[in-house]
Amino acid sequence: LDAAPRAVLSSRSPEVLICFPWRKRRTMAASLDEGLDGESMDFPKAEEETLKYWKSIDAFRTQLKLSEGRPEFTFYDGPPFATGLPHYGHILAGTIKDTVTRYATQTGSYVSRRFGWDCHGLPVEYEIDKTLGVTSRDDVLKMGIDKYNAECRGIVRRYTAEWETVVSRLGRWIDFEDDYRTMDFTYMESVWWVFSKLYEKGLVYKGYKVMPYSTGCATPLSNFEANLNYQDVTDPAVVVSFPVKGDADGAALVAWTTTPWTLPSNLALCVNPKLEYRKVRSKETGKVYILATARLSQIFPQMRTKKFKPGKDDAKIYETLGDPFEGLSLVGLKYEPLFDFFKDRADSAFRVVADDYVTSDAGTGVVHQAPAFGEDDFRVCVANNIVSVEDVPCPVDADGRFELPVSGDGILGVHVKKADPAVTGLLKDMGRLVQKEQLVHSYPFCWRSDTPLIYRAVPSLFIRVEAIKDKLVENNKKTYWVPSWVKEKRFHNWLADAKDWAVSRNRFWGTPIPLWESEDGAVSQAIGSVDDLLEFNAKKKNGTVLLTREDLTDLHREFVDDIVLEKDGVQLHRVDEVFDCWFESGSMPYAQIHYPFSSAESSSSEKFLSEQFPADFIAEGIDQTRGWFYTLMVLATALFDRPAFKNLIVNGTVQAEDGRKMSKRLKNYPDPVLVINAHGADALRLYLIDSPVVRGESLRFSEAGVKQILRGVMLPWYNAFRFFAQQAHRMELAAHITFTRDEAAAAKSTNATDLWILGSLENLVAFVHAEMKAYRLYTVVPRLVGFLGDLTNWYVRLNRDRMKGGGDDDRRTSLAVIFEVLLSMTSLMSPFTPFFAEYLYQRLRKRLPEFEKKEDQPKDALGSADSIHYVALPQVKGSGGASSHSESVERAVRGMTLLQRVVELGRRARDEAKINMKTPVRSVTVVTTEAADVAALEAIKPYILSELNACDLELTTDVDAWCLLSALPKHPELPKRLGKQYKAANDLIKQLDSTQLRALLSGATTAITLDSLEPKVHLTPADLKITISFCADNKAQDYAAQTTPDGTLTVAVDLTQDDDLRMQGITREVINRVNKLRKKAKLVIADKVDIFFADDDESPCALSTAAALAANEALLAKGRMVPLPMAARGRHAVDIATDVAPTPFGSKSLRVTLCRPTPVLAADAYQRAVEERGRAQAGALAQFVATSTDHPLLLQGSLDGEPFALRRGVDFFPDATAQFLQGKK
């Protein structure tokens, strides 16, 4: 009292400073938690801060260092091209890879993760060709390979900075500094080694192969690449005649084709040996044709019309000459060639051959053979000795233009696709064109140049894949794929039908094929390293001799093309081709570590084969089934007879929202960077891996889906943490303690919801580990998301009152439990949502005892670890032999499962009766068929009452008293069994009563016999569809009820209302509005307010708000609020927020206002001041009190020279609420 402040005031000029001690500095643990204020969570901004934090602690490298010495988990990262920016396909695969490798690291493994770049091949060359205007191979040779490759090298890493930015922003931890590049010297040398080993094994040979060929890029493509870009086009479809030599009727075979440009290269005709053919004479032209019977409509289009009547109208169109015959009888017939370009091959060519690939699905049943331009054509002609593998006439150059011996105006020197009209016109002039139509069909285009592909025989080096086909199939069996059907069907079928692999490309920017040959090809040598070159007296054409490895620092064409070797006295020159870039990427397991040349201990040959190969895990899209997965398997099998990988996740394709392919040109998808900046990387990651795409199916990408993950998963998860932080802080303010982790208190809890959430968490941990070991992300993520839903939608909601202060011990226990759950989920979710897991961990760890002693703790221990990603994931704890505890958990889980069903049914019943949840109901009755359900629900009765806003709960198994049972026959089983008796049985089944059906359901009887039928019918539960429905006929009260589909659970809500219930509803409405106003004003728990209310109705309402609040003080105490009549609001009060709206059953215009707590002069003290000092001095005194910045026990001073002393709690109060409560006392 001696230290009480003194003031000297004047009633004539009371100078006052308005200063409110409203938001005091927070105490104790307030600084431990963010999320205490009313600001919304900005996930993208928080992620950016986390990125900065990771960078400051060098998180990824620290994680690697901390995990050194553990068993190695080998991961291969497939190399993307760096000539374009990452798209959603890359983001999806990267997310899967990051999730699995993070999980492996946090479960006891060391995981090296190196990023790789596919630097060679057509994508790079195509970009340079566009930039430099290169249109042909000759343009490159004129420019110089060295200059051309320098240009290629210059753009290879054009987008690497953008890649690193996007990949890092996604939260993926991978090493960009120690990346591998397919254009590096060490990588290319290992590729040479791979080839040399295959060559030594006799798995390499030279030959021709008809391949998809891009004339726009002047290079063959793999079948995989050829399938990437199909477009609908209109092509000419022609039927051409081939007169049979020596035929008595002057008959001609007729063949149909959609590629007229291939006709100048025709060397044979092919028929199906088993199809029926016939010789027919056209009634219109008199010409005689030979074709398949099933394809007569091709040359007689009248047969395709609706008016045509088979068997009746045929004779009007054509005449059959002789009997039909099999195609086999045509084999060997010679015909007149279309052109004389290849007349020197007449001895073996221009005859009919047979093969089963010819069908009657289209055309004429006769297929013209141009062996240089069709895979089947080539195969058939080689098999029939018309051409050989080494000798295939191909009159088309590398750029797709006709060259000699083919000639003719509009043909020679013209691109083949543009020559179609000239060829067709020439055939018409020759009288060989029977028919010309236009056909719209799907046709392959080059995926880079967007030009039509052709099939063309190209000389190539081949890997004998067919020779190791059986080994490939066996090695595939040793691998594990998710989903399994891709391995067992698509990939298996591809391997079982594998063809020899053409690995050479007639290009420039790539790894040169290390094969040196003599001019006549008689002597050759495969080189497997630079050291091998030195063994064969390698020297440049200018005479420079290579003496050491240092004399050759680059293996690209401009550095090795002019190297001449010497073997057995013969000079050898390198072949012209480079490797298919798929050969390079398939060599990645070896080339990325410079195997077998690296001397580093971590990548030595012995360690590689024993510990690092095959890879434990890889992941890419389903399009790599015929790409990277295939080349990995082929090379690993050929080299070591082992698969290249053990486990593989195959993701499906990410499409635009309209189901079409994502297209930069069409702009039919949102920019990934913008999506991340708007919603956060965690939301995008979770959206992608919680979708069908991780099961190998397609996903139609929708930004709305990402937004839904943010709102439906991330925000509720954050709000659960925020609620915990607020309530922990509330307890600390009240009890003057600091909340820290208390595992023992959580473990000892007997609360049913605590046992349920902890038991569910334990089950979740076990499930996650089991499924992640099986690489089934598609089962893990939904379960994790589901648990977060249980946490936020059920546990937190059910226990809000406990955590707010439902008794000190109970409050501490509930906070201890939710802390354990949040901490475990933070760790368990860290591989999936790395940013938010880090965000939570940095705030939760400060409540761990280990945090204060972190200097003495391991760097990867919970609390002392600087990142959650250093910490091992939680493991299953088990019951420790406490069977009673285990039984309690099982009961709690059963009870909570029932609670959720009861609440769902109860809410549906209320909705049906149009009673909102704010309106209390008298009682709820739960009818169940299981006695164990009653015991389980009894333990959580208060929660059910709270959730359904009911005053009483009745639990019963007396189904007959509350429900009716009825039955219908089960279709289609019973009608089939009863036959003619079914109709009569159906009528009798509908008349079965509840007693009979109850006995059948309970097992008291095994069947119901329909005695009136002859023969008698016995009905078992399998024959009937028994339903249970609520029966209100015998109830005095009015009920709304809902029943589960199986009839095992019914919830009935008593709809009877009275004034007591209505006043409860009004009170809950006030509490709800106050909470909404606090949220709107962004108040935090520590922010105290005065609450004022008033019924602004013009006439008194039937149930006043004041009466309702007075009757429900217990509800207000539970909500920790004291609403005051508006009359109690002082004139110096400052409004924060106001709401005016009607209430159910009460005021039509209830005003609720929140005010800042303002000190008030007690009414009797003011009255005394008026009497003793006058109204002016009393007003000055009241204003002084209202503006005081402290609330001491005594306010004293002088007013106009007269002393005053005001006692807190007697003469003044710190706020209106305190004055009201004192008045009640």
Side-chain angles (χ1 to χ4, degrees):
L1 291 179
D2 292 340
R6 299 174 182 273
V8 179
L9 305 177
S10 169
S11 61
R12 291 176 294 278
S13 59
E15 298 178 2
V16 291
L17 176 66
I18 306 297
C19 181
F20 296 100
W22 182 42
R23 285 190 171 174
K24 292 185 177 181
R25 189 175 59 152
R26 296 170 189 165
T27 59
M28 289 175 295
S31 60
L32 294 181
D33 303 299
E34 294 181 16
L36 297 179
D37 57 24
E39 298 296 326
S40 60
M41 175 67 174
D42 187 335
F43 285 92
K45 182 179 178 181
E47 290 177 355
E48 293 283 0
E49 293 300 317
T50 299
L51 280 174
K52 293 177 184 177
Y53 174 70
W54 284 344
K55 187 174 182 179
S56 71
I57 63 172
D58 198 9
F60 174 45
R61 297 190 184 282
T62 302
Q63 185 201 59
L64 289 175
K65 187 175 181 180
L66 290 172
S67 59
E68 286 177 354
R70 300 177 184 173
E72 186 159 3
F73 180 90
T74 311
F75 161 68
Y76 296 158
D77 192 28
F81 287 109
T83 52
L85 293 171
H87 52 67
Y88 286 104
H90 296 121
I91 290 171
L92 167 63
T95 300
I96 293 171
K97 296 171 188 177
D98 188 58
T99 300
V100 172
T101 52
R102 283 181 182 276
Y103 175 83
T105 300
Q106 292 179 261
T107 50
S109 297
Y110 174 82
V111 188
S112 174
R113 284 155 274 178
R114 296 177 64 203
F115 204 82
W117 302 102
D118 206 340
C119 304
H120 289 145
L122 185 57
V124 181
E125 291 197 25
Y126 180 66
E127 292 292 325
I128 293 301
D129 290 349
K130 284 196 302 181
T131 303
L132 302 181
V134 173
T135 60
S136 69
R137 178 178 177 81
D138 290 340
D139 290 344
V140 178
L141 296 175
K142 289 175 184 177
M143 175 184 181
I145 296 175
D146 56 340
K147 294 183 177 63
Y148 184 81
N149 278 357
E151 294 287 345
C152 291
R153 186 180 282 104
I155 71 159
V156 160
R157 294 179 69 84
R158 176 192 295 171
Y159 296 116
T160 52
E162 288 86 346
W163 269 84
E164 184 169 357
T165 298
V166 173
V167 170
S168 300
R169 181 61 186 86
L170 280 163
R172 186 179 177 194
W173 283 6
I174 193 163
D175 195 342
F176 279 97
E177 293 181 16
D178 188 29
D179 55 357
Y180 71 85
R181 299 179 296 177
T182 60
M183 70 178 188
D184 289 343
F185 177 94
T186 53
Y187 194 100
M188 294 170 71
E189 187 174 28
S190 289
V191 174
W192 278 17
W193 174 84
V194 171
F195 178 80
S196 69
K197 290 301 176 185
L198 300 183
Y199 194 87
E200 290 173 9
K201 291 172 177 278
L203 294 175
V204 179
Y205 71 93
K206 271 188 172 183
Y208 277 91
K209 183 174 185 179
V210 176
M211 300 180 66
Y213 189 88
S214 170
T215 58
C217 296
T219 188
L221 303 179
S222 66
N223 286 326
F224 161 70
E225 291 171 306
N227 287 323
L228 292 177
N229 184 17
Y230 267 82
Q231 300 179 24
D232 288 337
V233 298
T234 301
D235 274 330
V238 299
V239 176
V240 181
S241 66
F242 297 84
V244 178
K245 289 185 176 182
D247 186 83
D249 299 307
L253 290 150
V254 285
W256 174 85
T257 181
T258 59
T259 54
W261 64 266
T262 61
L263 290 168
S265 302
N266 171 265
L267 294 180
L269 296 174
C270 188
V271 298
N272 187 305
K274 298 177 182 178
L275 272 182
E276 181 185 278
Y277 290 78
R278 64 178 61 196
K279 183 189 293 186
V280 297
R281 187 192 309 276
S282 169
K283 289 291 184 75
E284 181 181 348
T285 66
K287 293 184 178 181
V288 180
Y289 301 121
I290 298 174
L291 70 164
T293 301
R295 297 306 306 162
L296 286 168
S297 61
Q298 179 62 55
I299 61 171
F300 301 121
Q302 306 96 309
M303 298 176 68
R304 299 178 229 163
T305 64
K306 292 182 179 179
K307 294 181 180 180
F308 179 78
K309 297 178 180 178
K312 183 178 181 181
D313 295 338
D314 300 71
K316 298 176 184 179
I317 300 172
Y318 66 86
E319 173 190 358
T320 299
L321 304 181
D323 295 327
F325 48 87
E326 283 191 339
L328 186 62
S329 64
L330 295 171
V331 173
L333 290 180
K334 301 285 283 188
Y335 62 87
E336 295 290 343
L338 289 172
F339 304 98
D340 60 0
F341 302 138
F342 299 104
K343 60 184 178 182
D344 57 327
R345 296 177 178 269
D347 290 343
S348 61
F350 311 122
R351 55 189 171 91
V352 179
V353 295
D355 192 89
D356 290 336
Y357 93 90
V358 178
T359 69
S360 59
D361 295 337
T364 63
V366 180
V367 182
H368 108 85
Q369 304 292 290
F373 305 113
E375 287 186 276
D376 286 315
D377 304 41
F378 177 79
R379 175 181 58 80
V380 170
C381 287
V382 169
N384 287 277
N385 298 314
I386 294 170
V387 297
S388 67
V389 174
E390 296 81 15
D391 178 27
V392 182
C394 181
V396 175
D397 68 14
D399 297 312
R401 296 173 299 206
F402 275 115
E403 59 185 5
L404 294 174
V406 170
S407 60
D409 293 340
I411 299 177
L412 183 61
V414 176
H415 189 278
V416 294
K417 294 296 285 184
K418 293 181 180 179
D420 277 339
V423 173
T424 304
L426 190 56
L427 291 171
K428 183 177 180 181
D429 294 341
M430 295 163 56
R432 304 288 287 270
L433 185 65
V434 176
Q435 186 182 71
K436 180 183 177 183
E437 298 175 321
Q438 295 294 314
L439 176 72
V440 178
H441 63 145
S442 185
Y443 192 85
F445 276 63
C446 176
W447 64 290
R448 279 293 173 179
S449 65
D450 207 35
T451 55
L453 298 180
I454 65 171
Y455 277 79
R456 178 175 180 263
V458 292
S460 182
L461 286 167
F462 290 85
I463 305 299
R464 298 184 190 276
V465 176
E466 294 175 47
I468 59 171
K469 188 186 301 184
D470 292 342
K471 291 182 179 180
L472 290 172
V473 172
E474 286 304 311
N475 281 331
N476 184 43
K477 294 177 182 178
K478 300 173 185 176
T479 61
Y480 175 80
W481 294 49
V482 174
S484 60
W485 63 263
V486 182
K487 166 192 169 180
E488 295 163 359
K489 295 181 180 178
R490 178 179 293 208
F491 196 62
H492 169 81
N493 294 340
W494 186 250
L495 294 178
D497 195 38
K499 300 294 188 293
D500 287 352
W501 177 16
V503 296
S504 58
R505 295 291 182 267
N506 198 16
R507 301 299 298 175
F508 305 96
W509 178 241
T511 299
I513 292 181
L515 183 63
W516 270 255
E517 293 182 331
S518 60
E519 287 189 12
D520 60 3
V523 181
S524 63
Q525 181 62 48
I527 298 299
S529 68
V530 174
D531 291 336
D532 286 354
L533 285 175
L534 301 179
E535 289 183 17
F536 291 94
N537 301 319
K539 60 182 178 181
K540 299 279 188 174
K541 290 180 180 179
N542 62 11
T544 303
V545 178
L546 301 180
L547 299 175
T548 66
R549 288 182 61 89
E550 288 69 27
D551 292 335
L552 189 60
T553 58
D554 197 310
L555 296 182
H556 286 93
R557 284 194 60 173
E558 62 270 31
F559 295 94
V560 300
D561 277 3
D562 65 343
I563 292 178
V564 181
L565 304 184
E566 187 177 319
K567 180 179 180 182
D568 300 331
V570 178
Q571 286 194 339
L572 308 181
H573 300 270
R574 199 190 70 82
V575 298
D576 192 55
E577 294 87 358
V578 299
F579 280 115
D580 171 12
C581 61
W582 289 104
F583 188 90
E584 296 181 29
S585 59
S587 301
M588 170 265 173
Y590 332 104
Q592 67 162 338
I593 60 171
H594 198 201
Y595 180 87
F597 309 109
S598 176
S599 59
E601 182 181 347
S602 62
S603 57
S604 65
S605 298
E606 296 76 12
K607 181 180 178 65
F608 172 75
L609 291 176
S610 62
E611 300 179 20
Q612 299 171 338
F613 183 82
D616 289 296
F617 169 68
I618 65 171
E620 294 294 342
I622 198 167
D623 56 339
Q624 296 299 325
T625 306
R626 298 179 179 182
W628 193 49
F629 303 154
Y630 177 71
T631 60
L632 283 173
M633 183 68 79
V634 167
L635 294 183
T637 299
L639 291 170
F640 304 110
D641 193 16
R642 296 159 72 176
F645 51 87
K646 300 175 185 176
N647 303 289
L648 166 62
I649 294 179
V650 186
N651 63 262
T653 56
V654 184
Q655 301 171 339
E657 193 166 4
D658 59 6
R660 291 189 292 176
K661 183 179 179 181
M662 287 187 170
S663 167
K664 292 180 182 178
R665 178 175 56 84
L666 296 175
K667 297 181 180 178
N668 60 351
Y669 65 94
D671 185 329
V673 175
L674 297 180
V675 171
I676 293 170
N677 290 340
H679 311 296
D682 280 344
L684 177 57
R685 288 170 63 114
L686 213 54
Y687 168 74
L688 290 172
I689 57 177
D690 187 24
S691 74
V693 80
V694 292
R695 298 195 300 268
E697 301 172 20
S698 296
L699 168 68
R700 293 188 177 188
F701 184 85
S702 168
E703 186 174 357
V706 182
K707 192 174 183 179
Q708 180 55 40
I709 289 290
L710 184 68
R711 290 180 173 179
V713 180
M714 304 302 296
L715 272 173
W717 185 10
Y718 164 73
N719 287 334
F721 158 73
R722 181 171 175 265
F723 182 75
F724 157 76
Q726 290 173 335
Q727 302 318 314
H729 181 50
R730 183 197 290 269
M731 186 187 76
E732 290 165 339
L733 290 176
H736 303 287
I737 62 170
T738 299
F739 176 83
T740 56
R741 182 185 190 183
D742 192 343
E743 289 182 272
K748 291 177 182 177
S749 176
T750 57
N751 178 278
T753 59
D754 292 348
L755 292 172
W756 165 69
I757 199 68
L758 291 174
S760 298
L761 176 63
E762 192 82 347
N763 293 337
L764 177 68
V765 171
F767 179 84
V768 168
H769 286 304
E771 293 300 287
M772 283 300 291
K773 287 176 183 176
Y775 297 89
R776 288 190 286 263
L777 271 67
Y778 60 86
T779 62
V780 174
V781 178
R783 184 77 172 263
L784 288 166
V785 170
F787 181 85
L788 287 172
D790 283 344
L791 173 65
T792 58
N793 296 330
W794 291 101
Y795 182 79
V796 172
R797 193 174 74 236
L798 292 174
N799 290 281
R800 292 180 73 87
D801 292 335
R802 285 178 70 207
M803 284 185 265
K804 284 182 177 180
D808 289 345
D809 289 341
D810 204 25
R811 172 196 267 185
R812 288 193 184 96
T813 298
S814 62
L815 290 174
V817 169
I818 194 172
F819 183 85
E820 289 301 313
V821 174
L822 286 171
L823 188 63
S824 293
M825 283 304 293
T826 296
S827 181
L828 208 56
M829 287 291 289
S830 59
F832 305 90
T833 54
F835 288 106
F836 191 58
E838 191 72 86
Y839 175 92
L840 290 181
Y841 173 70
Q842 295 302 330
R843 287 146 185 81
L844 294 172
R845 69 185 289 221
K846 298 171 184 177
R847 295 187 177 280
L848 294 168
E850 294 82 359
F851 177 70
E852 298 297 332
K853 306 172 184 176
K854 61 181 180 180
E855 299 303 325
D856 303 324
Q857 300 291 324
K859 298 297 183 185
D860 57 357
L862 199 61
S864 60
D866 287 333
S867 171
I868 187 63
H869 303 290
Y870 303 166
V871 180
L873 297 184
Q875 298 294 322
V876 177
K877 296 175 183 177
S879 62
S883 59
S884 60
H885 179 76
S886 178
E887 291 171 3
S888 299
V889 171
E890 289 179 9
R891 280 197 302 272
V893 170
R894 180 189 183 107
M896 282 302 299
T897 302
L898 284 167
L899 177 143
Q900 292 170 357
R901 295 171 68 196
V902 167
V903 169
E904 180 187 356
L905 293 172
R907 287 176 178 168
R908 279 165 44 192
R910 291 180 69 116
D911 288 343
E912 182 184 89
K914 294 183 170 57
I915 299 179
N916 67 39
M917 289 303 300
K918 295 174 189 174
T919 303
V921 294
R922 176 64 59 198
S923 68
V924 170
T925 301
V926 178
V927 186
T928 175
T929 58
E930 299 290 335
D933 290 351
V934 173
L937 290 171
E938 189 68 45
I940 51 176
K941 188 174 182 177
Y943 293 110
I944 299 174
L945 291 173
S946 174
E947 283 299 293
L948 292 180
N949 194 6
C951 298
D952 191 25
L953 176 68
E954 181 182 348
L955 304 172
T956 180
T957 56
D958 190 359
V959 178
D960 292 333
W962 289 87
C963 303
L964 285 177
L965 276 72
S966 59
L968 290 171
K970 197 172 279 186
H971 288 267
E973 296 87 350
L974 196 59
K976 286 182 180 179
R977 180 163 74 85
L978 298 183
K980 294 180 179 180
Q981 285 186 298
Y982 172 70
K983 185 176 181 180
N986 185 33
D987 294 335
L988 293 173
I989 288 171
K990 291 177 181 179
Q991 297 172 23
L992 294 175
D993 60 33
S994 293
T995 303
Q996 292 173 292
L997 295 173
R998 169 66 54 206
L1000 188 64
L1001 278 180
S1002 64
T1005 182
T1006 57
I1008 296 174
T1009 302
L1010 303 180
D1011 296 321
S1012 60
L1013 297 180
E1014 186 59 43
K1016 296 178 181 179
V1017 172
H1018 302 285
L1019 300 174
T1020 67
D1023 297 318
L1024 302 175
K1025 182 180 180 182
I1026 300 174
T1027 58
I1028 302 177
S1029 56
F1030 177 72
C1031 178
D1033 295 343
N1034 58 346
K1035 305 294 181 296
Q1037 300 98 325
D1038 187 14
Y1039 283 94
Q1042 290 286 323
T1043 303
T1044 55
D1046 61 1
T1048 59
L1049 194 66
T1050 298
V1051 176
V1053 177
D1054 185 350
L1055 304 180
T1056 306
Q1057 287 284 317
D1058 56 28
D1059 283 352
D1060 288 344
L1061 292 176
R1062 296 186 184 102
M1063 286 194 289
Q1064 276 191 43
I1066 293 171
T1067 304
R1068 290 183 183 276
E1069 178 69 18
V1070 172
I1071 294 171
N1072 183 53
R1073 285 200 204 169
V1074 170
N1075 287 332
K1076 285 184 176 179
L1077 284 173
R1078 288 185 66 95
K1079 185 176 182 180
K1080 180 180 179 181
K1082 298 181 179 179
L1083 304 183
V1084 299
I1085 289 175
D1087 296 335
K1088 293 182 178 180
V1089 294
D1090 284 334
I1091 305 167
F1092 299 100
F1093 71 90
D1095 293 334
D1096 290 346
D1097 302 72
E1098 294 180 1
S1099 57
C1101 49
L1103 294 174
S1104 72
T1105 304
L1109 297 179
N1112 291 281
E1113 289 185 354
L1115 275 179
L1116 293 172
K1118 192 176 179 181
R1120 292 170 184 80
M1121 57 184 66
V1122 183
L1124 308 176
M1126 196 65 73
R1129 180 180 180 277
R1131 64 190 182 98
H1132 298 294
V1134 179
D1135 291 355
I1136 299 172
T1138 297
D1139 172 67
V1140 179
T1143 59
F1145 315 121
S1147 171
K1148 295 179 180 178
S1149 180
L1150 171 64
R1151 178 184 301 274
V1152 177
T1153 299
L1154 305 188
C1155 294
R1156 291 183 177 181
T1158 305
V1160 292
L1161 186 65
D1164 53 354
Y1166 176 78
Q1167 188 60 40
R1168 284 199 309 272
V1170 170
E1171 294 172 357
E1172 297 173 0
R1173 301 170 180 266
R1175 193 167 299 280
Q1177 287 192 355
L1181 198 61
Q1183 187 173 6
F1184 165 68
V1185 171
T1187 57
S1188 63
T1189 59
D1190 255 324
H1191 306 151
L1193 295 176
L1194 183 68
L1195 279 176
Q1196 59 184 352
S1198 61
L1199 176 60
D1200 291 341
E1202 293 292 329
F1204 67 84
L1206 303 173
R1207 296 162 295 169
R1208 188 178 69 187
V1210 178
D1211 302 313
F1212 80 97
F1213 297 90
D1215 51 56
T1217 302
Q1219 182 180 29
F1220 175 81
L1221 293 175
Q1222 182 65 28
K1224 288 188 66 175
K1225 291 180 181 179

